[in-house]
Amino acid sequence: MSVDSFSISSTWIHKFGEALQSRDIDATISCIHPRGYFRDILVFSWNNRCLHGHKKLATYLTNGLAKASVTDVKLESRPGLTPEYGPLTDKLPLRAVSAGFIFSCAIGIGRGYFTLVSTDLGEWKALVVMMALADIRGHEEIQHEEGVYGGHTLAWSDVFSERRRAIETNPHVLIIGGGQTGLNVAARFKQMNITALVVEKNERIGVLYQPYPTSWPVFTPRDKMADWLEQYVRSQDLIVWTNSRPLPHPIYDSSTKRWTVVIDRAGKCVTLNPVHIVVAAGNLGAPRIPVIRDTEVFTGTTLHCSEYQGGKPFAGKRVIVVGAGNTAADLCQDLVFHGAQSVTMVQRSATWIAAATSARMMFDRMYPEELEIDVCDLMAMARPLKLMMKIEKETAEQTLEEEKATHQGLREAGFNLATKKSFLTLWYERSGGFWLDVGCAELIRSGKVKVKQGAEIARFKNRSAVFTDGSSLDADTVVYATSYENITDTMRPVFGDEAIDRVGPVWGLDEEGELRGCYRPTGHPGLWFAAGEFAVSRPFSKQLVSAKFENFPPRFLEMIYHLVLGIEDKGD
């Protein structure tokens, strides 16, 4: 079949752009497939929304289309975003025409992406349209500095010391968490000229705004990641306090629109008054450690996976790893490599597993090396999660067939494989319950890692663990790879019940398939949450800047922008 993707895209974008510019809801909807998805990131409302079907979209545009004032809609010309015809996914026969586009709106410029499919009548309609605010007019992202200060009379060390002093004294935003998410947000804010201070409870800080080197490993070792994050702080000129944490309870003043928060900075109390607090400790909070009877009588060692520093200390030891997710698999593999006498994985429920080669192929398709990272992020944003989950469900049997060789040995060893839920569902529902196999499956198959399935540790004896099925295992060490609390549970003692109850759930998906509580208004003024993997934190760290605006009439927008971006030191 011969398809002129450029002609199809040009015709569609002209019709779609005219409909938006004329503020014609019916004409806009006519460009969308009846079962299509329309994803809006801060263009038609100050939130992240995904509308499925014409009826919901019509209701949504009734309130937002005129106010958005979309004009100048035209196709993108950057590599990777020009019109292209191909399969919707590598596992479905459905083929589509996709392209990026740019536009202007009431407060700035935007970028979008669409995927068109042919209807039974031969018309090309959008299965997916995504529109996102890219820059606020007059407050665009800074690309780079000249590097010459005070007419070439000031040394960089003096310039940076003064900037550090100003931020440490009066940050506009306080970011809690110095991992990849917190640093992404901090770097993005810096480029938007918003002063931000990061506080990290550990001695060391946790890709980011700055891309990885081309030689970077696909599956990054933990220590290498830590080294990278530390140099990232230096190269991006971020201000980070380690050994620092907020003390209970920050107070928000609705009249001044500022927080009063006391930071324990390595034992010294420092009071700050930021306008916003961003909790960027990911969706995972404090370590989740199961409560088990008679722990005190166990003469061996117990530790959570967050305390695990490598397998060398456990050479010759009998080790039980509680959990069967990605972390548990990595630990078991590391323990075998370092000569543990025995390694047993305790699996309570089923686990979804795919070979690392399959994951690598998926990552390479989504993030090919020849394309700029922001182009790939834009296309990733244009994949509504509800649609991706539906596709994942429809192609589940094909996926299981592809993983047959990996799964066979696991089943023979008594491992319980998850087949009814997909990777995306497990990730957004549980933040776990899966692993990408880089060798542990073969260790289980060969018996080097044993599996204790369908039971939990009920209590301890002197040198053993007793399970709920009455059996027991001798052990010198028990490692809990039992994940972490939800971040709101961990933050509740810090911010208090009233504040966290207003925030509601953080992580998981709402009914539209958008992340709950992350990079969007939380219900509490001045309190925000950032979470997710690199592909989420990179693009949405910028959306978080814009998401801080209130839904004011256009005549007030300029004043609001000045206040929010800290040009004037007044309120929100």
Side-chain angles (χ1 to χ4, degrees), residues 91 263 357 521 554 564:
K91 294 181 181 180
I263 302 297
T357 52
V564 174

Side-chain angles (χ1 to χ4, degrees), residues 377-396:
D377 283 341
L378 181 70
M379 291 190 289
M381 288 174 68
R383 297 182 177 98
L385 286 170
K386 288 282 189 178
L387 175 60
M388 299 310 295
M389 287 178 171
K390 183 178 180 181
I391 291 173
E392 208 173 39
K393 185 176 181 180
E394 291 178 355
T395 59

Side-chain angles (χ1 to χ4, degrees), residues 263-494:
I263 302 297
D264 177 349
R265 187 184 184 189
K268 180 181 178 181
C269 290
V270 182
T271 301
L272 300 173
N273 299 107
V275 175
H276 301 282
I277 296 177
V278 178
V279 180
N283 55 304
L284 303 178
R288 181 183 288 124
I289 300 175
V291 177
I292 299 174
R293 286 173 48 201
D294 302 328
T295 301
E296 69 282 359
V297 307
F298 183 56
T299 56
T301 304
T302 62
L303 69 155
H304 189 263
C305 59
S306 59
E307 304 171 275
Y308 184 87
Q309 298 297 316
K312 287 184 179 180
F314 308 105
K317 304 289 186 181
R318 298 164 298 180
V319 185
I320 296 174
V321 176
V322 180
N326 211 72
T327 299
D330 286 348
L331 293 183
C332 288
Q333 191 167 348
D334 187 56
L335 288 163
V336 171
F337 176 79
H338 285 97
Q341 178 181 328
S342 65
V343 179
T344 302
M345 176 187 289
V346 178
Q347 183 193 32
R348 182 182 62 176
S349 55
T351 307
W352 184 94
I353 296 176
T357 52
S358 301
R360 173 70 185 272
M361 291 171 62
M362 179 185 69
F363 296 151
D364 287 347
R365 286 194 299 269
M366 293 180 64
Y367 288 87
E369 291 185 0
E370 65 271 16
L371 295 182
E372 296 179 7
I373 195 72
D374 65 319
V375 168
C376 298
D377 283 341
L378 181 70
M379 291 190 289
M381 288 174 68
R383 297 182 177 98
L385 286 170
K386 288 282 189 178
L387 175 60
M388 299 310 295
M389 287 178 171
K390 183 178 180 181
I391 291 173
E392 208 173 39
K393 185 176 181 180
E394 291 178 355
T395 59
E397 289 187 9
Q398 185 177 345
T399 300
L400 290 173
E401 182 63 29
E402 292 171 355
E403 303 297 337
K404 188 174 181 179
T406 299
H407 290 177
Q408 181 177 350
L410 290 168
R411 284 197 175 94
E412 292 171 355
F415 195 87
N416 188 8
L417 286 159
T419 58
K420 296 186 182 300
K421 288 193 175 183
S422 63
F423 168 74
L424 287 176
T425 301
L426 289 167
W427 171 236
Y428 288 107
E429 282 186 358
R430 295 174 47 189
S431 296
F434 57 86
W435 92 55
L436 302 179
D437 183 56
V438 292
C440 189
E442 179 56 34
L443 294 178
I444 291 175
R445 184 173 186 170
S446 66
K448 293 180 180 179
V449 173
K450 295 179 174 58
V451 176
K452 177 65 178 177
Q453 207 284 319
E456 301 176 68
I457 298 178
R459 60 189 178 90
F460 284 107
K461 290 185 176 180
N462 183 32
R463 273 296 189 186
S464 64
V466 180
F467 292 86
T468 51
D469 62 3
S471 64
S472 65
L473 281 175
D474 293 339
D476 303 300
T477 302
V478 176
V479 183
Y480 298 117
T482 46
S483 192
Y484 300 80
E485 296 177 346
N486 185 276
I487 188 60
T488 53
D489 295 329
T490 301
M491 288 293 111
R492 187 173 290 275
V494 177

Side-chain angles (χ1 to χ4, degrees), residues 251-268:
I251 299 173
Y252 184 78
D253 189 327
S254 57
S255 61
T256 63
K257 313 285 189 192
R258 285 184 176 270
W259 291 90
T260 297
V261 54
V262 179
I263 302 297
D264 177 349
R265 187 184 184 189
K268 180 181 178 181

Side-chain angles (χ1 to χ4, degrees), residues 51-64:
L51 294 309
H52 180 40
H54 284 184
K55 185 176 180 180
K56 291 182 179 179
L57 180 55
T59 302
Y60 184 65
L61 292 180
T62 298
N63 298 322

Side-chain angles (χ1 to χ4, degrees), residues 184 187 207-213 228 231-232 235-236 373 538:
N184 255 326
V207 198
L208 298 165
Y209 181 82
Q210 169 190 344
Y212 288 133
W228 171 261
Q231 73 81 29
Y232 186 83
S235 66
Q236 295 294 317
I373 195 72
R538 266 195 313 266

Side-chain angles (χ1 to χ4, degrees), residues 85-143:
Y85 177 68
L88 182 63
T89 77
D90 62 330
K91 294 181 181 180
L92 289 177
L94 181 64
R95 302 182 76 81
V97 172
S98 299
F101 62 98
I102 58 176
F103 59 91
S104 295
C105 61
I107 62 170
I109 64 169
R111 300 193 182 278
Y113 195 85
F114 60 80
T115 296
L116 311 179
V117 294
S118 181
T119 68
D120 294 338
L121 298 177
E123 298 177 295
W124 289 90
K125 303 278 188 179
L127 179 64
V128 174
V129 178
M130 188 276 296
M131 298 179 69
L133 181 65
D135 278 302
I136 299 167
R137 195 172 293 110
H139 301 291
E140 291 81 4
E141 194 169 357
I142 301 168
Q143 295 302 314

